[in-house]
Amino acid sequence: ADHFNLGSLDSSEAEQRMCAQVNLSAANLALHKSHYFGAAKYLSAAFSALNPESMWERDYVLTLKLCNTSALVHVCLGKFESSKLMACEIIANARRFEDKRLAFNT
């Protein structure tokens, strides 16, 4: 993921999406190792790779995973307001109740 993050994000939409996916995977690995600051760094890079105006429409599943993981990481870091904002983002944009369920527990 670090190699992706060193590269230019002026690449194609497919490459930007791949960068976001790789960073999400790295964030999940860091989260499982209780390295919350590292997970937050990778999540930030993943969000930066996507267009905030269209990420929910173009990359719904990826965006939902990023937001759920980000909300969890913020709780682990004690950043409860940030976690609450992420949960509100999920509730506002998720298409199905099942997709919103984790946000209600955050």
Side-chain angles (χ1 to χ4, degrees):
D2 291 324
H3 290 286
F4 269 102
N5 297 337
L6 292 175
S8 172
L9 285 182
D10 294 333
S11 53
S12 72
E13 188 174 316
E15 288 175 348
Q16 290 172 343
R17 187 172 197 279
M18 172 74 82
C19 179
Q21 289 173 327
V22 167
N23 275 286
L24 175 59
S25 295
N28 283 322
L29 286 172
L31 181 61
H32 288 353
K33 294 181 178 186
S34 300
H35 183 44
Y36 306 122
F37 290 106
K41 177 187 88 166
Y42 289 123
L43 289 167
S44 177
F47 279 114
S48 295
L50 298 177
N51 181 346
E53 306 279 325
S54 63
M55 63 185 186
W56 281 101
E57 292 82 29
R58 290 180 176 230
D59 296 301
Y60 177 79
V61 173
L62 176 60
T63 302
L64 182 64
K65 289 177 183 178
L66 284 170
C67 289
N68 279 320
T69 306
S70 182
L72 176 61
V73 167
H74 282 107
V75 166
C76 293
L77 290 171
K79 296 181 177 183
F80 301 111
E81 277 302 310
S82 297
S83 180
K84 182 179 177 182
L85 289 173
M86 192 58 64
C88 289
E89 173 86 7
I90 294 166
I91 292 167
N93 291 289
R95 297 176 185 159
R96 303 175 312 148
F97 177 76
E98 292 81 15
D99 295 342
K100 298 178 184 188
R101 189 177 53 229
L102 285 175
F104 288 120
N105 294 330
T106 305

